[in-house]
Amino acid sequence: MRNKIILCALMSIFIGLQIWCIYITFKFPYTGINLELNQKNEWVIVEVDKISVSSELDVKVGDIIKQVDGEDPNKYPSIRKWKAVEQAHNFIVSRDGLEHKVEVFNKSLLTYDIVPLIDEVVCLFMAGLLYWKMRHSPSAKLLAVVFLTCAIIYMSRGVSVRGDIVGKILITNFMMVLPIVFFHFLVVFFKEKGGIQLPSNGLKYLYSVAILGFIIRLLYFSPLAPTIHNYNGDLTLWFFIIGFLINIYVLTFLFFKVRKEKSYLSSIVRSVWFSLLISFLPVICLSFLPRLITGFQIVDAVYTSWFILFLPISFAYLIASNQLYDIGLVLRRFVFAALLAIVPSALFTGSCAFLFQDTMGVREIIFHFTGSIIMLSVVLYSTEYLTTRLERFLFPRKYVLQTALKKISKSLGAISSFRDLKEIVLVDIVDTLQVRGGAIVFQYEHDTEIIDEGEIDTAEIKEMIRSSTWLQHPLYTCIEITRHEEYASYLVITRNKANTFLGKEEVQWLHLITSYLEVSLENVHLIRKLTAKMHLLAAQLPDEQSAQEIQWFRKIMFELQEEERLRIAADLHDTTMQDLFFLKRRFVSLLDKYAMNKEDKEHLNNIVNFVELINNSLRQSCFELNPFLLKEIGLIETVRTYLDKEAYHTPFEIEFKEEGASAIELKDLKTKRHIFRVIQELLNNAKKHSQASKVSFAMIVKDHRFCLTYEDDGVGFDSTQVPRMEIGASGMGVEQMRGRIMHLNGKLEFDSRQGAGVKLVITIPVREVLSV
């Protein structure tokens, strides 16, 4: 609570000072007339600031001030305290014995009014952003204070040059505070980020000096103001420079201590060291030191102080992102950009000097040349960033191709078969290039497979690839994707819809796409080979003892199969069956809404019945893929229901018997699903191969063992050489079905002779059933 009260009080004081500074800045113009007493005790103009409004008034160096706003100059506050004419509406000057009155008009100046205001807004924004977004970080809070200190300096700039006491106290005091606060920030920052404890014992003494300076400057309100003012400016600048040198010394010592370490800390120190030099050297070397030594600034501090913001802004980036930028790379790029800018800047400045030689002096030429170099350097440096951000507008075609490339490359990971290429790749390629059509061609030794999209003649493509020079075909863009011993693949693209060839940029884009496709197709090829080997391994498990050693393999195979069945069932239910349901409703509504003749109505009814037949067939397929009834009514009733439905579509009679098998219902759902899958496979195999007139299934539990018996009176086979039958749609052989039973710790026994039917007995221990 106490902290909130203090914060509110400080904010109120700051707002009050801000209102006062804005009021003085825009109420009174900056006159910029400095005076000295001559031997006759008269106030003589010794300097007229060319950036002030006095440059447009009828005054010049050597004029004598007789009156200011009707008062004696010796009684006017700004003359008495600062030896300057400020906040005056008019004054009388004497020149060569003739007096004339000068009216001061109000005019806002870019250098002393607008620029500092912009700088202040930037500093306040950064301070507020750091405080509200990263208040948990002590270094972020102190960096916000650094920004706030800079903001107060910029805020008081305009009122201080206008002779306001409050402005002069603020700007000089906070100029002393800035290097102290910044050093305090460095102490906290390096402790927070690198665990380094910089010497901080002297901070309290430095803050004490700043407080003492503030107390002394309060004497501006007393008659001692002229005496204090004579020394205040120079002492403030020297204190600022010495504070900067202390910061540099500490960082340099730390820099040489860790410079050989290739660590995060050494990178931070190096970045901070370079940033500090970039921030403070311009204002010290071009503004403060020249003023202290010669009395004049090479460049006004209003402009060189812009560089000071570079350091706190770079620190704000470092704290917010916890990332380092390569300061060496930044400097090299900017210097190189400046070197490139010298020649065009020199040509532009020379042209201006030649065309406007009557109005351009040396200062104007230097300003044009320097400004041109800076602007061109900034533009060249930021070209990469700007072109990236504005690529959509500057290079629209390139942007479309890049966006499509990102989309395709992201989608390629979803390819699991060659047929997926159409929806994932070809559609996007055809749409992006605006061509008539495209195809991916797989050329095998004795066959050709084509996956096409759009308007493309596949028959012509098949005929074309027989030619040895078809890759240079005049009507198509043909690119080889991959080639190995089993097949070669190609990408074939037609001309675009304007019937013109693809551009160079688009062909390069296609080559990049094919390089991505090459990797994806190779992955699909390897997946197919691996899947084939896995199926072969599953179908050739040698014996029970060896098979027991690869239980993990069976577990993975069964889990993958069930997951894929569930996925397909869900897709069919959520898409195709729903579409058919709404299609049927649409047809029925047409029957009810419109009057039709008998023949059309009968035809439409047949369509509705056919849609319903398809829907029922899909519903049965979904059930086979995902036998949800196992959970609702149990294994025995699910098998009974399944066999009753299948009896309507099989060429043989189906018989089902169950005797005391209810103990199997106590087993987990995965175990019951395994048994149901075995029954499915047996029935499907009977429909394909048995040629039987009767098929029977029997379930019984006896002596703690579950027994499933299958019998048919079909053609049978030689049980001494069990064939690799295709059991149902799963593609499992009998050996793989044996693996499923063995996974349940069960046994599979065959009894079959050629022409005498088949009998299979599956036995599974009820107490020791192993679930996946």
Side-chain angles (χ1 to χ4, degrees):
M1 185 66 182
R2 181 182 176 185
N3 291 336
K4 289 185 178 180
I5 293 174
I6 294 174
L7 181 62
C8 291
L10 292 175
M11 288 184 65
S12 301
I13 294 171
F14 178 80
I15 293 171
L17 291 173
Q18 180 71 72
I19 294 172
W20 175 256
C21 291
I22 292 176
Y23 170 75
I24 296 296
T25 299
F26 291 98
K27 179 175 176 59
F28 300 103
Y30 169 52
T31 311
I33 299 175
N34 295 322
L35 311 173
E36 288 289 347
L37 281 171
N38 62 11
Q39 295 176 352
K40 298 178 181 180
N41 206 29
E42 296 174 321
W43 289 102
V44 181
I45 298 176
V46 294
E47 183 184 0
V48 177
D49 194 339
K50 293 182 179 180
I51 308 178
S52 66
V53 296
S54 59
S55 61
E56 300 179 24
L57 301 178
D58 186 14
V59 293
K60 63 181 182 179
V61 175
D63 289 351
I64 299 171
I65 302 295
K66 292 295 185 179
Q67 284 186 357
V68 179
D69 287 344
E71 294 184 15
D72 181 21
N74 292 304
K75 296 179 180 180
Y76 195 75
S78 68
I79 296 178
R80 190 176 72 250
K81 291 178 180 291
W82 326 119
K83 298 180 181 180
V85 178
E86 293 297 342
Q87 299 186 31
H89 296 94
N90 59 75
F91 52 89
I92 297 174
V93 299
S94 173
R95 184 186 303 159
D96 300 328
L98 299 176
E99 295 183 359
H100 66 276
K101 187 175 183 180
V102 178
E103 294 287 344
V104 181
F105 58 89
N106 198 352
K107 178 183 178 182
S108 295
L109 301 172
L110 178 67
T111 302
Y112 293 109
D113 301 342
I114 308 302
V115 172
L117 184 62
I118 294 173
D119 293 337
E120 181 196 352
V121 170
V122 172
C123 291
L124 289 176
F125 172 77
M126 293 300 298
L129 189 67
L130 284 167
Y131 183 78
W132 293 112
K133 294 292 185 180
M134 290 172 281
R135 63 177 67 185
H136 61 279
S137 169
S139 61
K141 288 182 180 179
L142 269 173
L143 186 58
V145 175
V146 172
F147 274 112
L148 186 60
T149 304
C150 293
I152 294 174
I153 292 172
Y154 287 123
M155 176 183 73
S156 56
R157 171 70 174 176
V159 292
S160 67
V161 296
R162 287 167 169 81
D164 183 74
I165 295 177
V166 175
K168 287 187 177 296
I169 292 175
L170 285 175
I171 194 169
T172 52
N173 217 63
F174 280 92
M175 283 282 290
M176 289 182 65
V177 170
L178 181 60
I180 303 173
V181 173
F182 184 74
F183 181 72
H184 192 176
F185 161 73
L186 289 180
V187 171
V188 176
F189 175 79
F190 279 109
K191 185 176 181 181
E192 180 182 321
K193 294 295 182 181
I196 296 178
Q197 183 64 56
L198 294 179
S200 58
N201 295 330
L203 278 172
K204 56 185 177 182
Y205 301 108
L206 291 173
Y207 280 121
S208 299
V209 172
I211 294 172
L212 179 62
F214 174 72
I215 295 172
I216 294 173
R217 290 184 184 94
L218 290 178
L219 295 176
Y220 275 162
F221 294 100
S222 72
L224 295 175
T227 305
I228 297 173
H229 179 66
N230 287 336
Y231 301 100
N232 181 51
D234 291 348
L235 286 175
T236 301
L237 294 180
W238 280 118
F239 189 91
F240 182 88
I241 294 171
I242 293 170
F244 164 76
L245 292 176
I246 292 173
N247 283 283
I248 283 291
Y249 169 76
V250 172
L251 282 177
T252 303
F253 175 78
L254 192 59
F255 176 74
F256 281 101
K257 185 178 178 181
V258 300
R259 75 183 190 279
K260 293 183 179 180
E261 300 178 10
K262 295 183 178 180
S263 62
Y264 177 68
L265 177 61
S266 63
S267 301
I268 290 178
V269 174
R270 184 169 56 252
S271 298
V272 173
W273 193 79
F274 277 112
S275 299
L276 188 66
L277 290 177
I278 294 172
S279 294
F280 287 95
L281 278 182
V283 71
I284 290 175
C285 296
L286 300 177
S287 301
F288 293 168
L289 279 178
R291 177 179 172 178
L292 291 170
I293 297 170
T294 66
F296 299 98
Q297 302 180 94
I298 297 175
V299 181
D300 196 291
V302 171
Y303 300 109
T304 54
S305 62
W306 289 351
F307 289 93
I308 294 178
L309 297 179
F310 177 80
L311 183 61
I313 289 175
S314 62
F315 269 110
Y317 165 80
L318 180 59
I319 294 173
S321 64
N322 203 26
Q323 295 178 0
L324 284 175
Y325 54 88
D326 190 341
I327 186 67
L329 177 62
V330 171
L331 291 175
R332 287 195 299 272
R333 285 182 58 186
F334 196 83
V335 169
F336 183 70
L339 291 174
L340 290 178
I342 289 176
V343 174
S345 299
L347 291 174
F348 174 74
T349 305
S351 302
C352 290
F354 176 76
L355 294 173
F356 308 103
Q357 51 187 316
D358 295 334
T359 57
M360 285 189 67
V362 176
R363 291 188 64 178
E364 286 77 9
I365 292 174
I366 294 174
F367 177 79
H368 273 75
F369 182 66
T370 307
S372 300
I373 288 179
I374 293 173
M375 286 190 293
L376 280 176
S377 300
V378 171
V379 170
L380 290 172
Y381 180 83
S382 57
T383 298
E384 181 181 0
Y385 174 81
L386 292 176
T387 51
T388 303
R389 287 291 183 181
L390 303 176
E391 185 180 34
R392 179 183 300 186
F393 309 102
L394 296 175
F395 312 103
R397 189 57 182 160
K398 182 180 178 181
Y399 175 79
V400 170
L401 294 177
Q402 291 279 12
T403 304
L405 179 63
K406 290 177 183 177
K407 180 184 176 183
I408 292 173
S409 61
K410 189 175 181 180
S411 303
L412 283 174
I415 292 180
S416 58
S417 65
F418 289 156
R419 285 293 165 186
D420 293 336
L421 292 170
K422 178 175 180 178
E423 297 298 329
I424 294 178
V425 178
L426 270 181
V427 172
D428 285 332
I429 291 177
V430 171
D431 291 343
T432 301
L433 298 179
Q434 292 295 299
V435 293
R436 297 182 183 278
I440 296 177
V441 181
F442 298 95
Q443 187 177 15
Y444 303 94
E445 185 177 359
H446 302 295
D447 191 18
T448 300
E449 181 182 4
I450 297 178
I451 301 170
D452 63 288
E453 170 64 22
E455 302 173 12
I456 188 167
D457 192 340
T458 55
E460 183 182 3
I461 298 297
K462 286 185 178 180
E463 185 69 28
M464 185 177 66
I465 61 175
R466 297 175 183 173
S467 170
S468 58
T469 59
W470 77 281
L471 289 175
Q472 288 80 37
H473 197 279
L475 299 179
Y476 297 96
T477 300
C478 307
I479 302 172
E480 182 178 295
I481 301 174
T482 184
R483 175 184 293 274
H484 44 71
E485 67 277 3
E486 293 189 14
Y487 69 89
S489 58
Y490 307 91
L491 177 64
V492 181
I493 302 295
T494 66
R495 292 187 178 187
N496 59 35
K497 293 179 180 179
N499 203 30
T500 58
F501 288 112
L502 299 178
K504 184 178 179 180
E505 185 179 24
E506 294 170 325
V507 173
Q508 290 176 345
W509 181 80
L510 277 178
H511 278 283
L512 191 57
I513 290 290
T514 54
S515 66
Y516 287 12
L517 271 175
E518 180 180 4
V519 177
S520 295
L521 291 180
E522 188 64 27
N523 289 339
V524 172
H525 175 65
L526 291 175
I527 290 171
R528 292 176 70 177
K529 290 179 69 174
L530 181 60
T531 304
K533 288 182 179 180
M534 289 177 70
H535 279 293
L536 183 62
L537 177 60
Q540 294 180 341
L541 294 178
D543 53 43
E544 293 189 14
Q545 179 62 34
S546 300
Q548 290 288 342
E549 297 175 359
I550 54 172
Q551 289 279 17
W552 61 270
F553 175 72
R554 288 203 199 93
K555 184 177 188 301
I556 292 174
M557 287 291 294
F558 297 148
E559 285 181 349
L560 291 176
Q561 288 173 2
E562 289 303 325
E563 287 177 7
E564 188 65 13
R565 285 187 174 108
L566 292 175
R567 184 189 66 79
I568 295 172
D571 287 346
L572 286 173
H573 181 273
D574 295 339
T575 57
T576 308
M577 290 181 65
Q578 296 298 321
D579 292 341
L580 288 171
F581 173 73
F582 287 112
L583 180 63
K584 177 186 173 182
R585 285 185 59 181
R586 186 69 183 270
F587 282 138
V588 171
S589 66
L590 289 175
L591 280 171
D592 297 337
K593 187 174 182 180
Y594 298 102
M596 302 181 185
N597 57 47
K598 184 178 180 180
E599 184 179 348
D600 291 340
K601 195 170 184 178
E602 183 179 354
H603 183 63
L604 197 55
N605 273 320
N606 290 335
I607 294 176
V608 171
N609 293 332
F610 185 66
V611 170
E612 181 63 23
L613 183 64
I614 296 173
N615 207 17
N616 289 334
S617 178
L618 284 174
R619 188 177 292 109
Q620 178 64 20
S621 298
C622 288
F623 171 74
E624 292 178 9
L625 289 167
N626 179 22
F628 57 90
L629 290 178
L630 285 173
K631 187 175 181 180
E632 297 178 6
I633 61 176
L635 174 65
I636 297 172
E637 291 305 317
T638 300
V639 171
R640 194 189 307 278
T641 302
Y642 171 66
L643 294 178
D644 287 345
K645 288 184 177 180
E646 287 292 325
Y648 291 103
H649 309 291
T650 57
F652 44 75
E653 178 188 351
I654 299 177
E655 182 182 39
F656 176 65
K657 296 178 182 178
E658 177 268 327
E659 184 178 346
S662 58
I664 195 64
E665 303 292 0
L666 300 176
K667 298 293 105 182
D668 57 78
L669 182 62
K670 292 182 179 179
T671 300
K672 290 186 277 189
R673 187 182 287 122
H674 278 302
I675 298 172
F676 183 79
R677 294 296 184 204
V678 170
I679 294 172
Q680 274 186 304
E681 303 296 352
L682 289 170
L683 183 60
N684 287 331
N685 186 61
K687 288 191 287 186
K688 279 188 174 184
H689 307 290
S690 69
Q691 301 178 25
S693 60
K694 182 178 180 180
V695 171
S696 64
F697 292 89
M699 290 183 184
I700 188 172
V701 173
K702 187 176 182 181
D703 298 330
H704 304 296
R705 301 183 70 82
F706 171 79
C707 182
L708 172 65
T709 304
Y710 165 86
E711 288 186 84
D712 69 48
D713 58 358
V715 294
F717 57 87
D718 187 354
S719 60
T720 60
Q721 296 180 346
V722 179
R724 293 180 191 166
M725 297 181 294
E726 289 291 326
I727 302 180
S730 67
M732 289 198 312
V734 170
E735 287 298 334
Q736 190 174 356
M737 185 176 66
R738 186 198 299 272
R740 189 185 286 273
I741 296 167
M742 289 174 61
H743 184 68
L744 300 176
N745 287 338
K747 291 183 180 180
L748 173 64
E749 299 176 359
F750 283 97
D751 182 12
S752 177
R753 292 185 301 277
Q754 199 78 30
V758 176
K759 180 178 181 181
L760 282 85
V761 179
I762 298 167
T763 308
I764 300 171
V766 175
R767 288 182 177 177
E768 300 177 359
V769 173
L770 176 65
S771 63
V772 181

